[in-house]
Amino acid sequence: MNVPEKETLEQIAELFKGFCDPTRVHILSLLERQELCVTDIADAVALSQSAISHQLRILKQMHLIKYRREGKNLLYSLADDHVKTILQMGLEHVLE
């Protein structure tokens, strides 16, 4: 495999920053199973809604999650199957 361009390497490093915080990994793990709103995530992670909103904003900027509106609620989910694969591979690596 060829070494990627510098810009691509920077993008890869930025992607993995999304996984460097235990709270963000917890949120991603929850979203791997189902769509959730901020309130449900906050309850599951035992943090305030504002703290969760901040983490969701970071994850969204990193293109790791997406959301859809249902009435007044925003429901969050993983951006795509690649994120799920990264989570699963990380878990397998740690448990090895």
Side-chain angles (χ1 to χ4, degrees), residues 5-89:
E5 298 288 326
K6 181 180 179 184
E7 182 180 330
T8 303
L9 293 172
E10 290 171 357
Q11 289 173 338
I12 293 168
E14 190 67 26
L15 167 72
F16 282 105
K17 285 181 185 178
F19 294 91
C20 73
D21 180 272
T23 300
R24 288 196 292 265
V25 173
H26 192 173
I27 292 168
L28 291 170
S29 295
L30 291 168
L31 296 178
E32 179 183 10
R33 292 170 184 81
Q34 66 185 40
E35 287 183 314
L36 294 169
C37 67
V38 173
T39 304
D40 293 336
I41 297 169
D43 290 345
V45 180
L47 288 174
S48 69
Q49 287 186 24
S50 65
I52 295 301
S53 292
H54 174 73
Q55 296 299 334
L56 290 171
R57 190 168 32 261
I58 292 169
L59 291 169
K60 187 174 175 307
Q61 288 171 346
M62 294 178 169
H63 306 286
L64 296 174
I65 63 169
K66 61 185 178 183
Y67 68 89
R68 68 179 181 85
R69 185 173 294 281
E70 187 174 279
K72 293 182 179 182
N73 288 325
L74 295 178
L75 295 174
Y76 294 88
S77 61
L78 297 183
D80 56 41
D81 285 338
H82 295 112
V83 179
K84 184 176 182 175
T85 300
I86 293 168
L87 280 169
Q88 290 171 343
M89 291 179 75

